[in-house]
Amino acid sequence: MLMILSAWISVFPTILMAPAKHMWTLATSQGFFITFFSLSWMFLQDFNFANPLFLIDKISGPLTILTCWLFPLTMLASQSKMRLEPINRQRAYILNLTFLQLMTLLAFSTPDLMLFFIFFEASLVPTMIVITRWGAQERRLEAGMYLAFYTMLGAIPLMIWITKFYSTHGSLLPTLTHTLHITQATTNYPGLFWTIYNAAFLVKLPIYCLHLWLPKAHVEAPIAGSMILAGTLLKLGGYGILRTSPLLQENDLNQTLPIMLIAILGILATALLCLRQTDLKSLIAMSSVSHMNLVVAAVLISSPWSYSGAMVMMIAHGLTSSALFCLANTSYERTNSRTMILLRGMLLIFPLAGAWWLIIMLLNMGLPPSINFAGEVLIMLSLLSWSPIAFLIVALNLIFTTAYTLYVLWATQRGPLPNHIKTLFPFQIREHLLLSLHILPGLILILNPELIL
């Protein structure tokens, strides 16, 4: 782990000293080097690698690898637009993204609750800089403010709880792994207590009702911001909830029933809202909210199957939603528009890109035998064993997801070409490589899903 951390830190001097001509190539290749190094965590015996500084187990292992995997892909995706900027801005952009991914990686791999909180909040700063400095439109400052206020207000109860924990037990060091299942919350309202100290994570996921910052942030962010936001930053919330889930007792589900109802409502409402969107990035952001609410429902059920389902769903969603944002970006770079009616007829001009759209939208829909399907099945079976009525309600989500998937494919790929589009430059090998590298881990995991279960 220390080797990989030092490799991450070595990216900073590389970017500062690299000549302009080779800077992007060096950043991308160094990212891939770190990624292949991090794959060794997959094969550590039963994923139990823990010391006072780092913790890699069945929960954090797959998420740390996902973080390392997405970094070189963000470098690949950003090149075409960013190469036009002055060289110092390009350096600042790459350094900012590197710092963001490093904070996320440290948040996933720290065993200490206080350090986890610090890294969790530290990831907010570079995210805000990326959105407000390199965002494409005039409302990017508003998006940054939404992100900051939602995240900080949610974090206040968590900080108070951590301080209380520290004053009671005198230490926060072994908290994430050892003391959580011993120190059960002594409170008359365990459901309310769980909701309040998890507010930071529920905002980050985000749960329905606390999700308004996400479509704004995604729409305003540049491509790398959208990819990291969907791929790893939302997973910080899921990781926090999974880590603190031992505090949720078997009989607490009745107490947290309102949250479960909001999550189920969110799964259906956001899937229906996708059918109303005209902006492609906004639609993908809404589908992210729908998938993440499934993760909340799974964690609240707190059975081994539901935990496995939540984990698989997070990894699958991290890959597919990031790939969808890449596809949306390829269309945006050619037409300078995200409005779906202006993107129609793309299948005629880019048949191979049409194939990518079809494959990735089907993965997002949860087509068997993809890992998205495996995650949904595990969560659905947990729901069925908990409440058949809840299962039937959530099963409607499958219909709505299929509906908005077809809507996206029809709106962007079919129909006549808009008259205002005169020339579209062809797809580059870089873009095909980027999309294939998003799909490849998903295909490998189909063959061996135990790696993330």
Side-chain angles (χ1 to χ4, degrees):
M1 181 69 198
L2 279 170
M3 285 172 70
I4 290 173
L5 203 57
S6 53
W8 267 106
I9 293 166
S10 71
V11 174
F12 291 99
T14 306
I15 299 308
L16 287 171
M17 295 188 292
K21 190 177 174 185
H22 303 299
M23 186 173 63
W24 286 94
T25 316
L26 279 169
T28 312
S29 51
Q30 202 157 352
F32 279 120
F33 174 73
I34 292 167
T35 303
F36 291 123
F37 232 26
S38 73
L39 289 176
S40 61
W41 295 332
M42 277 283 185
F43 307 107
L44 288 173
Q45 185 58 40
D46 200 25
F47 254 135
N48 236 343
F49 164 72
N51 62 30
L53 294 175
F54 302 108
L55 164 77
I56 302 289
D57 64 357
K58 285 281 190 187
I59 302 175
S60 60
L63 291 166
T64 47
I65 293 169
L66 179 69
T67 307
C68 292
W69 183 259
L70 283 178
F71 174 70
L73 300 190
T74 55
M75 294 292 108
L76 278 174
S78 304
Q79 287 180 27
S80 57
K81 276 269 194 248
M82 287 304 300
R83 275 183 192 275
L84 306 174
E85 294 214 358
I87 187 67
N88 285 336
R89 284 192 204 162
Q90 292 183 41
R91 283 190 210 281
Y93 183 77
I94 298 175
L95 290 172
N96 203 12
L97 289 181
T98 310
F99 180 70
L100 173 55
Q101 291 289 58
L102 185 62
M103 288 300 104
T104 317
L105 184 76
L106 288 168
F108 282 136
S109 58
T110 181
D112 181 319
L113 191 60
M114 195 70 202
L115 278 177
F116 170 69
F117 178 73
I118 290 166
F119 292 134
F120 177 83
E121 289 301 316
S123 65
L124 175 67
V125 180
T127 313
M128 271 196 70
I129 294 170
V130 165
I131 291 172
T132 52
R133 172 62 192 83
W134 283 281
Q137 282 151 318
E138 69 276 4
R139 299 186 71 179
R140 57 182 189 264
L141 279 171
E142 188 187 334
M145 293 296 281
Y146 263 64
L147 171 67
F149 274 94
Y150 268 92
T151 310
M152 290 194 301
L153 284 173
I156 292 165
L158 181 64
M159 191 168 69
I160 293 168
W161 179 62
I162 289 173
T163 315
K164 169 80 167 61
F165 205 102
Y166 185 76
S167 64
T168 312
H169 299 280
S171 167
L172 285 166
L173 260 174
T175 311
L176 277 178
T177 42
H178 304 304
T179 51
L180 269 183
H181 59 278
I182 305 164
T183 55
Q184 298 295 353
T186 51
T187 171
N188 298 328
Y189 304 102
L192 184 64
F193 173 71
W194 184 89
T195 308
I196 288 172
Y197 79 77
N198 271 318
F201 306 135
L202 293 174
V203 166
K204 200 77 169 178
L205 262 166
I207 192 170
Y208 188 69
C209 301
L210 299 173
H211 71 288
L212 291 178
W213 64 270
L214 187 72
K216 267 193 190 313
H218 270 311
V219 165
E220 302 299 327
I223 175 59
S226 286
M227 284 171 69
I228 295 172
L229 201 57
T232 54
L233 290 180
L234 300 191
K235 309 302 170 285
L236 274 173
Y239 175 73
I241 289 177
L242 276 171
R243 271 282 182 241
T244 54
S245 58
L247 276 176
L248 206 60
Q249 300 266 311
E250 288 282 325
N251 53 0
D252 283 356
L253 194 48
N254 296 329
Q255 302 278 340
T256 50
L257 200 58
I259 302 295
M260 181 61 115
L261 293 175
I262 291 170
I264 290 172
L265 173 70
I267 293 164
L268 301 179
T270 46
L272 279 172
L273 276 171
C274 284
L275 288 166
R276 298 224 19 160
Q277 302 300 318
T278 54
D279 185 308
L280 190 53
K281 268 185 134 180
S282 187
L283 187 145
I284 301 166
M286 279 297 178
S287 81
S288 291
V289 179
S290 182
H291 284 106
M292 289 296 103
N293 276 276
L294 260 177
V295 172
V296 176
V299 173
L300 284 173
I301 293 169
S302 58
S303 69
W305 275 38
S306 68
Y307 287 152
S308 295
M311 195 70 225
V312 174
M313 178 62 98
M314 286 200 291
I315 299 296
H317 174 264
L319 293 165
T320 47
S321 64
S322 178
L324 281 171
F325 280 114
C326 289
L327 278 171
N329 184 60
T330 57
S331 299
Y332 178 71
E333 282 178 356
R334 285 161 176 77
T335 59
N336 287 317
S337 171
R338 295 185 314 270
T339 308
M340 286 197 277
I341 199 156
L342 301 180
L343 303 175
R344 66 179 191 269
M346 287 291 171
L347 193 63
L348 294 168
I349 314 173
F350 305 124
L352 200 53
W356 284 124
W357 270 105
L358 181 66
I359 292 166
I360 294 168
M361 284 310 293
L362 288 177
L363 286 176
N364 190 55
M365 193 173 81
L367 190 80
S370 64
I371 50 165
N372 307 60
F373 172 74
E376 282 189 22
V377 163
L378 285 166
I379 293 172
M380 287 294 194
L381 289 172
S382 310
L383 267 170
L384 180 62
S385 64
W386 174 65
S387 161
I389 298 168
F391 167 78
L392 287 172
I393 295 169
V394 175
L396 289 171
N397 177 50
L398 303 176
I399 300 165
F400 300 154
T401 308
T402 310
Y404 74 72
T405 300
L406 289 173
Y407 166 55
V408 171
L409 286 172
W410 240 247
T412 58
Q413 302 302 306
R414 314 293 296 190
L417 200 66
N419 294 327
H420 69 280
I421 290 180
K422 297 290 184 283
T423 53
L424 295 172
F425 57 91
F427 255 63
Q428 301 165 339
I429 294 174
R430 172 181 63 82
E431 290 166 327
H432 288 304
L433 176 68
L434 174 65
L435 293 166
S436 55
L437 285 172
H438 272 105
I439 290 177
L440 186 67
L443 297 179
I444 293 169
L445 288 170
I446 289 171
L447 302 174
N448 193 3
E450 291 89 26
L451 292 173
I452 54 171
L453 284 175

